[in-house]
Amino acid sequence: MKVTTPKSKLGHRRVDEKGETTYKKTPSSALMSAIQLGIGFTVGRLSAKPERDVLMQDFAQIETVVFPSEGTRETPSHKFSDFKFKSYAPVAFRFFRELFSMRPDDFMMALCNEPLVELSNPGASGSLFYVTCDDEFIIKTVQHKEAEFLQKLLPGYYLNLNQNKRTLLPKFFGLFCYQCGGKNIRLVVMNNLLPRDWKFHFKYDLKGSTYKRRASKAERAKKHPTLKDLDFIVDFPEGIFLEPEIYTSLIKTLQRDCRVLESFKIMDYSILLGIHNIDEAARERQQEGTLTPSGQMNSTVDSNQLATSIQQEARTPGETGDYHKMFGSIPARNAKGEKLLLFVGIIDILQSYRLKKKLEHGWKALVHDGDTVSVHRPSFYCKRFLEFMTSNVFKKLPGEKSYTLTSIITAWV
């Protein structure tokens, strides 16, 4: 199932005249079916084994299953070419899924029960992106170096999740590799930060850099553009305001996450920020008819039930460990006082400060102010990133002015 047809050639991604997508010359439809077949089999087989503690050697473990088209005693038959499916660190990822409160049957149901949806915007890397029909998971193709780096990162990721359960880092649910015809296509399964059935009035990719950090005309012409740092400063010159308790929790979480990324010499990561303007949605609702909180036509929403659920999550963020669990959102306001919901997460963390990045920074620094370019040494990148987020993006709601979550929900319906 495809959404639209974007650029015809980007990285390993190709789109032919008929709108069919391939990746490394592998049809996207065949890749989707192989992903579902491989994940369903490997995760299902692992769930039948008794649980145990994660050992250090588990992070380096790789399991390979062969899927011939005619099937075997263990694997089902299929209509595609023979392929192999590798599962990286399966026991470790089982632990991560449990930590994220994701049961094996729910995980397989989400990924394997319905066709995956191919997203239209491949990003600058030319990766393929698939989303599950329930909007819970994103499946992204990654380069060999990124997959290798993630596997090396897993022990530290394990340590961080045990110490810092309230994190904005990506939730990794699995790392896999599809092998067919001499080609390797590596895939990572992550949480989906921006559900498709919500209307986002603004969407930003923020790095804390100002060098070429303005969305292009082509990007801004899109129906749902992804804007950048300089665009945010223009759109929200006074920043976005949070209640003191939420602001403190969010900034502490960002600081902890950035320290972890710095310790692994990771840089060039971003904040993905989706903004749903509740008041603007209410105005749109008056013009177009009764809409749900996400901006879609639907039946009446039970405001009391929604308010109670979100208040239970947001009342004591330090205790729940995830103050935006209900919808993955954070209540906020803009400078006009309009009510907002923020969908926030750190993305693109698989970039380490290798020689290539050092050379890229050196070249850009010769032409521009070295402190403004996005590629930078991890310690400086971390400091600049946090300064931008606290100085330009997130602000504490001033004075005694406050608002209740009940009032936010009431505005929805």
Side-chain angles (χ1 to χ4, degrees), residues 336-390:
K336 297 178 182 178
E338 293 176 322
K339 294 180 285 292
L340 312 173
L341 282 179
L342 311 181
F343 291 69
V344 185
I346 297 176
I347 61 171
D348 297 335
I349 72 167
L350 300 181
Q351 294 287 340
S352 64
Y353 196 57
R354 299 189 187 94
L355 176 61
K356 181 180 177 181
K357 291 294 180 181
K358 291 181 183 179
L359 293 174
E360 183 181 346
H361 172 261
W363 176 80
K364 289 181 177 178
L366 289 174
V367 184
H368 302 272
D369 179 2
D371 287 351
T372 65
V373 300
S374 62
V375 178
H376 224 296
R377 62 187 184 277
S379 59
F380 183 90
Y381 191 95
C382 173
K383 180 182 177 182
R384 187 186 62 188
F385 182 86
L386 288 172
E387 285 179 352
F388 185 84
M389 297 306 155
T390 54

Side-chain angles (χ1 to χ4, degrees), residues 5-48:
T5 303
K7 293 183 180 180
S8 61
K9 181 178 179 181
L10 188 58
H12 291 296
R13 187 180 187 276
R14 302 286 186 275
V15 180
D16 63 20
E17 298 80 7
K18 297 180 181 179
E20 293 298 320
T21 304
T22 62
Y23 187 84
K24 293 187 177 182
K25 299 183 179 179
T26 301
S28 179
S29 57
L31 182 57
M32 278 193 280
S33 296
I35 290 171
Q36 293 183 303
L37 193 61
I39 290 178
F41 182 85
T42 55
V43 173
R45 184 172 66 175
L46 181 63
S47 65

Side-chain angles (χ1 to χ4, degrees), residues 41-255:
F41 182 85
T42 55
V43 173
R45 184 172 66 175
L46 181 63
S47 65
K49 298 179 181 179
E51 295 183 9
R52 60 171 175 80
D53 293 337
V54 178
L55 306 175
M56 194 62 192
Q57 57 263 35
D58 290 326
F59 297 111
Q61 183 185 9
I62 303 174
E63 290 187 355
T64 303
V65 180
V66 179
F67 288 88
S69 57
E70 67 274 13
T72 67
R73 292 178 60 184
E74 290 186 324
T75 63
S77 60
H78 55 87
K79 58 182 179 180
F80 305 103
S81 301
D82 298 355
F83 69 91
K84 293 181 181 179
F85 198 79
K86 289 186 176 181
S87 179
Y88 295 86
V91 174
F93 277 109
R94 177 173 67 176
F95 171 82
F96 297 148
R97 291 192 290 268
E98 290 172 357
L99 203 61
F100 301 143
S101 301
M102 179 56 57
R103 299 187 308 174
D105 53 344
D106 292 333
F107 184 66
M108 290 187 292
M109 181 70 70
L111 270 81
C112 307
N113 195 50
E114 298 288 341
L116 300 173
V117 178
E118 182 185 333
L119 297 184
S120 60
N121 189 356
S125 65
S127 295
L128 284 184
F129 288 84
Y130 302 108
V131 64
T132 53
C133 283
D134 63 357
D135 260 354
E136 186 81 11
F137 303 103
I138 288 281
I139 302 174
K140 176 187 177 183
T141 59
V142 293
Q143 300 298 320
H144 170 65
K145 289 292 184 183
E146 292 176 311
E148 185 178 62
F149 184 61
L150 175 56
Q151 197 172 9
K152 291 179 180 178
L153 190 66
L154 290 180
Y157 186 71
Y158 171 88
L159 182 64
N160 179 57
L161 287 177
N162 276 288
Q163 295 178 342
N164 180 24
K165 292 181 174 61
R166 187 170 65 248
T167 180
L168 292 174
L169 295 179
K171 293 181 178 179
F172 294 115
F173 291 87
L175 177 63
F176 307 97
C177 180
Y178 165 86
Q179 293 182 316
C180 182
K183 295 183 174 62
N184 295 293
I185 300 178
R186 295 166 182 85
L187 311 135
V188 63
V189 182
M190 304 178 292
N191 58 312
N192 181 20
L193 288 173
L194 303 180
R196 290 169 297 139
D197 58 351
W198 282 78
K199 180 172 184 178
F200 293 104
H201 297 88
F202 294 95
K203 182 174 64 170
Y204 297 95
D205 180 299
L206 304 174
K207 293 182 180 291
S209 167
T210 55
Y211 171 67
K212 290 189 176 181
R213 294 297 297 167
R214 181 177 282 111
S216 66
K217 290 183 180 180
E219 181 65 30
R220 297 184 73 90
K222 294 179 180 178
K223 185 178 180 181
H224 303 293
T226 300
L227 307 176
K228 298 183 179 181
D229 304 65
L230 292 175
D231 303 307
F232 181 89
I233 292 173
V234 172
D235 296 335
F236 295 88
E238 298 180 53
I240 294 172
F241 296 92
L242 307 173
E243 286 210 52
E245 183 182 21
I246 295 178
Y247 172 86
T248 300
S249 267
L250 178 61
I251 298 305
K252 284 184 177 179
T253 299
L254 277 174
Q255 290 171 340

